[in-house]
C-alpha cells in the first residue's frame, strides 16, 4: 500500500491551496473524482472578499460577516479569515491570478450583498476560473502527485485516527487502499441534495458523508443557502455581481420590489432576505412565470460586455435572450451549504489525522447565512491553514502497521453493487430525493414539511440498499459512481432534515413559517450531529463571541 505524508481529498480551491501550503519536503498527494480544473470552484463567478481599500478594514469585514450570518458564526474564526484575507489575495496575485483592475491599476473591487464596502475582488465574472487555473499551474510546477479521476469511498480509521482512504480507480477500475499520516477533506458542497441547484452534478456532499460515517461531528447542516438569482428552467447561477454592478430586481408590475423588504440595501440585502422577498412576490402573484426579472439594461452595453460577459453568454445560450435588451427571468435555487464537518480555526476535526477545509467544512465563518465572496476566501485562508497544520501533524507521527480490513469491506460493497439484480436504479432515487428536499426543505419550512421529508427519507434509504448497477464494466463506470454518490446524498439529507426539524426558530437561511422569529435566548448555538448506532444524535455547542455582541 502506498503511504503519503498528507493526502488531500479534493482538487478544488481548498484542496489545491492546502497542497501548495504544505512544505515541499513532505510527500503530498491530491485525489479527485474529476480532473482538478473541473472542480466546482471553476464555476465561481462574482468574486472573493478582502478589505484592501484604504478606507476599509478587516474589522469592518469581520463585522459584516458576523452580522450577515445572524451572529451564528464563530467570531474567532471570522477574525482570522478577515485579518488574513488581504495578504492571501496578494499572494494569489503573485501566484499568477489575473484580477480585474481599476483606473489606478489596483485590484478592482465591486460591492456585494450585505457588505458595507465594495470589497469583492474579481476577474470579470469568471473569478473561480482564474484562481483555480493558477492553482493548478502551481500544483504542476511543484510536481505534486494527483490521483486524477479516483473516487474515495471511505476513510481508513485505525485506533480512532484517520490513516488514509479507500478509493475506486475510475479509469481502470478496482478498489485500492491509500495510506496517509494525515488526510484533508476538501470535497466541496452538497447542493445536489436539492433538485433545483446552482451546483455542479458532482457536488454530492461526499466528504461530509465520509466524515459522518467515521463518527465525526457535522455542524449547522440545516443552514442551506438559496441564491436569489438562478436562471429560469436551468438553475444556472446569475452572479450577485450583476446586482453589484447595479442590476434591478423587478416584479410583474415593473416595480423594484426590494424597497418593501429592505429599503436601504435594496437588491444588495443579504441573500436570505432577497431570496425570501422573491419567494413572497411569486407567492402573492407578482411573479413572471414562476420567476422575477433581473434588469441590467440600464447598465449599458459596454459595461455588460466588460464586467458581465459570462452572464450575457449564459442568458443568450440557455434562455434565448440578450440582457443588453431584455431582463433575465430568475428565481432562487439551492446554492451553498453553510454547515459541514466541524473544525476549529486550524481545520482540525475531532478525529486525529483528519482535517477539513472549504465548503465541506464548518469552521464556522458563515453562520446562518454566507455573504457572497466569502466562500472563495474561506477556501484560500483555511485551505492554506489545513496544509500547514496537517504537515505539522504528519511530521510528528510515526505510522504503525494497519490492522483494519477497510479495503476488504469496500471490495465486498462494490461486488454487491455490481452483482445485485433488481429494478431500482440510483438516478431514480436521486431525482426523488431532490424533489422531496426542494419541496419540503426549501425557502420556507414547517414542522409538517420536515417531518414528511424525514419519513420519506427513511423509505428512500431502504430502497437505496437494493440499488442495481446495470453497467458491470470496470472502466469509467459512471453508474457505479452514481450509486456511491446516492448514498452520500442520502446521508447528508438525513443530517439536514434532522438538524432543521429540531431548530425551532428562523435565522438566516433557515426560515420556518411556524417559528418565524429569531430566538437568541434558546437558539444562539451550533447544532452538532453525529452518527450513533441508534441513528443521528444531535447536541449543541455555544457560539464563540469575541467583539460583536448579537443585536
Ligand atoms: C455557480 C457557483 C458560483 C459561485 N460563485 C462564488 C463566488 O463568486 N464567490 C464565492 O465566494 N463563492 C462562490 N461560490 C461558492 C464557491 O465557489 C464554493 O463554495 C467553493 O469554490 C468550494 O470550493 P472547494 O474547494 O471547497 O470545493 P470544490 O471546488 O467543489 O472541489 C471539490 C473537490 O472534491 C473532489 N471530490 C468530491 N468528492 C470526492 C470523492 N468522493 N472522491 C474524490 N474526490 C472528490 C472533487 O473532484 C473536487 O475536486 C459559487 C458556487 C457556485 C456553485
Amino acid at each position: 500500500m502506498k503511504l503519503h505524508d498528507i493526502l488531500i481529498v479534493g482538487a478544488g480551491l481548498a484542496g489545491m491551496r492546502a497542497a501548495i501550503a504544505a512544505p515541499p519536503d513532505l510527500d503530498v498527494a491530491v485525489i479527485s473524482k474529476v480532473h482538478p480544473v473541473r472542480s466546482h470552484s471553476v464555476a465561481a463567478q462574482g468574486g472573493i472578499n478582502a478589505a484592501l481599500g484604504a478606507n476599509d478594514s478587516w474589522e469592518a469585514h469581520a463585522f459584516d460577516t458576523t452580522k450577515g450570518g445572524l451572529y451564528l458564526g464563530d467570531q474567532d474564526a471570522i477574525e482570522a479569515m478577515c485579518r488574513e484575507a488581504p495578504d492571501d489575495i496578494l499572494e494569489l496575485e503573485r501566484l499568477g491570478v489575473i484580477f480585474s483592475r481599476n483606473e489606478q491599476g489596483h485590484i478592482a473591487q465591486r460591492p456585494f450583498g450585505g457588505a458595507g464596502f465594495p470589497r469583492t475582488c474579481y476577474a470579470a465574472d469568471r473569478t473561480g476560473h482564474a484562481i483555480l487555473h493558477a492553482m493548478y499551474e502551481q500544483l504542476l510546477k511543484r510536481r505534486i502527485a494527483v490521483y486524477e479521476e479516483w473516487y474515495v469511498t471511505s476513510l481508513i480509521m485505525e485506533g480512532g485516527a484517520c490513516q488514509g482512504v479507500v478509493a475506486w480507480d475510475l479509469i481502470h477500475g478496482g478498489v485500492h487502499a491509500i495510506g496517509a499520516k494525515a488526510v484533508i477533506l476538501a470535497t466541496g458542497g452538497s447542493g445536489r441534495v436539492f433538485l433545483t441547484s446552482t451546483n455542479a452534478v458532482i457536488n454530492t456532499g461526499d466528504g461530509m458523508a465520509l466524515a459522518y460515517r467515521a463518527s465525526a461531528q457535522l455542524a449547522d447542516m440545516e443552514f442551506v443557502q438559496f441564491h436569489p438569482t438562478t436562471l429560469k428552467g436551468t438553475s444556472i447561477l446569475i452572479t450577485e455581481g450583476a446586482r453589484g454592478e447595479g442590476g434591478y430586481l423587478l416584479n410583474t408590475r415593473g416595480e423594484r420590489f426590494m424597497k418593501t423588504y429592505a429599503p436601504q440595501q435594496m437588491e444588495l440585502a443579504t441573500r436570505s432576505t432577497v431570496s425570501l422577498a422573491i419567494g413572497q412576490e411569486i407567492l402573492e402573484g407578482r411573479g413572471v412565470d414562476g420567476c422575477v426579472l433581473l434588469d441590467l439594461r440600464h447598465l449599458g452595453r459596454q459595461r455588460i460586455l466588460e464586467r458581465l460577459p459570462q452572464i450575457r453568454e449564459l442568458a443568450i445560450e440557455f434562455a434565448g435572450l440578450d440582457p443588453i435588451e431584455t431582463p433575465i427571468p430568475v428565481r432562487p435555487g439551492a446554492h451553498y451549504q453553510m454547515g459541514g464537518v466541524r473544525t476549529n480555526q486550524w481545520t482540525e476535526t475531532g478525529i486525529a489525522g483528519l482535517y477539513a477545509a472549504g465548503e465541506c467544512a464548518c469552521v464556522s465563518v458563515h453562520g446562518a447565512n454566507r455573504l457572497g465572496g466569502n466562500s472563495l476566501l474561506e477556501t484560500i485562508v483555511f485551505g492554506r491553514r489545513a496544509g500547514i497544520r496537517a504537515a505539522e501533524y504528519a511530521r510528528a507521527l510515526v505510522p504503525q502497521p494497519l490492522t483494519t480490513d477497510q479495503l476488504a469491506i469496500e471490495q465486498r460493497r462494490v461486488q454487491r453493487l455490481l452483482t445485485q439484480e433488481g429494478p431500482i436504479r440510483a438516478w431514480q432515487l436521486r431525482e426523488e430525493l431532490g424533489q422531496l428536499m426542494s419541496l419540503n426543505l426549501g425557502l420556507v419550512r414547517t414542522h409538517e414539511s420536515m417531518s414528511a421529508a424525514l419519513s420519506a427519507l427513511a423509505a428512500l434509504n431502504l430502497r437505496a440498499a437494493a440499488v442495481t448497477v446495470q453497467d458491470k464494466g470496470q472502466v469509467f463506470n459512471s453508474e457505479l459512481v452514481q450509486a456511491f454518490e446516492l448514498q452520500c446524498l442520502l446521508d447528508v439529507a438525513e443530517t439536514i432534515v434532522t438538524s432543521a426539524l429540531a431548530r425551532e426558530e428562523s435565522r438566516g437561511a433557515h426560515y420556518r413559517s411556524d417559528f418565524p422569529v429569531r430566538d437568541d435566548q434558546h437558539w444562539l448555538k451550533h447544532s452538532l450531529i453525529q452518527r450513533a448506532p441508534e441513528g443521528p444524535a444531535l447536541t449543541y455547542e455555544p457560539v464563540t463571541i469575541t467583539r460583536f455582541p448579537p443585536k
Side-chain angles (χ1 to χ4, degrees), residues 137-156:
E137 286 167 12
Q138 293 296 325
L139 212 69
L140 293 178
K141 178 177 167 191
R142 290 170 166 74
R143 299 183 192 285
I144 293 170
V146 183
Y147 293 85
E148 231 171 81
E149 299 186 304
W150 283 61
Y151 184 97
V152 174
T153 61
S154 69
L155 301 177
I156 297 176

Side-chain angles (χ1 to χ4, degrees), residues 9-15 31-36 39-48 112 127 132 150-153 186-189 198-200 202-203 206-207 210 237 239 271 335-336 357-360 370-377 379:
V9 186
L13 280 179
I31 183 164
S32 173
K33 63 179 174 177
V34 295
H35 184 280
S39 304
H40 186 65
S41 293
V42 82
Q45 300 174 349
I48 176 168
F112 248 46
T127 312
L132 195 70
W150 283 61
Y151 184 97
V152 174
T153 61
T187 50
T198 64
N199 280 205
I202 55 171
N203 288 7
D206 301 0
L210 294 176
L237 182 76
T239 174
R271 288 181 175 175
H335 182 56
Y336 186 83
E359 191 168 339
C360 72
R370 170 177 77 90
L371 296 189
N374 267 353
S375 169
L376 289 186
L377 179 61
T379 66

Side-chain angles (χ1 to χ4, degrees), residues 128-366:
H129 187 276
I131 307 178
L132 195 70
H133 280 255
M135 286 295 126
Y136 187 54
E137 286 167 12
Q138 293 296 325
L139 212 69
L140 293 178
K141 178 177 167 191
R142 290 170 166 74
R143 299 183 192 285
I144 293 170
V146 183
Y147 293 85
E148 231 171 81
E149 299 186 304
W150 283 61
Y151 184 97
V152 174
T153 61
S154 69
L155 301 177
I156 297 176
M157 299 293 297
E158 176 85 26
C162 182
Q163 301 228 12
V165 306
V166 175
W168 170 259
D169 176 353
L170 274 140
I171 300 177
H172 307 96
V175 190
H176 302 269
I178 306 170
K181 296 181 188 169
V183 171
I184 301 175
L185 292 173
T187 50
S190 55
R192 285 287 159 170
V193 166
F194 292 83
L195 192 68
T196 50
S197 164
T198 64
N199 280 205
V201 286
I202 55 171
N203 288 7
T204 47
D206 301 0
M208 298 171 201
L210 294 176
Y212 184 53
R213 288 174 206 157
S215 295
Q217 287 181 325
L218 307 192
D220 298 339
M221 292 300 287
E222 63 272 43
F223 294 99
V224 178
Q225 177 166 79
F226 292 84
H227 196 286
T229 59
T230 76
L231 191 62
K232 179 185 169 185
T234 61
S235 301
I236 294 173
L237 182 76
I238 302 295
T239 174
E240 187 163 311
R243 284 170 287 133
E245 293 295 336
Y248 298 151
L249 286 172
L250 306 178
N251 61 19
T252 186
R253 300 180 189 152
E255 294 161 343
R256 284 179 74 189
F257 56 85
M258 283 310 298
K259 65 177 187 288
T260 321
Y261 304 91
Q264 244 128 63
Q265 294 164 304
M266 293 292 286
E267 282 84 356
L268 288 179
T270 57
R271 288 181 175 175
S272 54
T273 306
V274 182
S275 288
L276 278 170
I278 295 176
Q280 196 63 23
E281 289 296 302
I282 296 171
L283 195 73
E284 291 174 9
R286 291 186 297 277
V288 182
D289 202 8
C291 294
V292 295
L293 297 175
L294 174 65
D295 194 356
L296 305 179
R297 291 173 297 178
H298 56 286
L299 302 182
R301 182 182 182 83
Q302 199 45 43
R303 197 175 170 105
I304 293 174
L305 289 181
E306 189 187 315
R307 302 284 180 87
L308 302 165
Q310 184 183 218
I311 291 310
R312 177 168 180 254
E313 230 171 84
L314 291 170
I316 291 174
E317 285 192 21
F318 292 95
L321 58 89
D322 186 343
I324 294 175
E325 287 144 19
T326 316
I328 312 172
V330 292
R331 59 170 187 188
H335 182 56
Y336 186 83
Q337 174 56 268
M338 263 81 70
V341 184
R342 184 62 171 145
T343 72
N344 62 16
Q345 53 163 309
W346 279 97
T347 73
E348 291 160 322
T349 67
I351 293 177
L354 185 66
Y355 301 78
E359 191 168 339
C360 72
C362 180
V363 195
S364 93
V365 286
H366 309 302

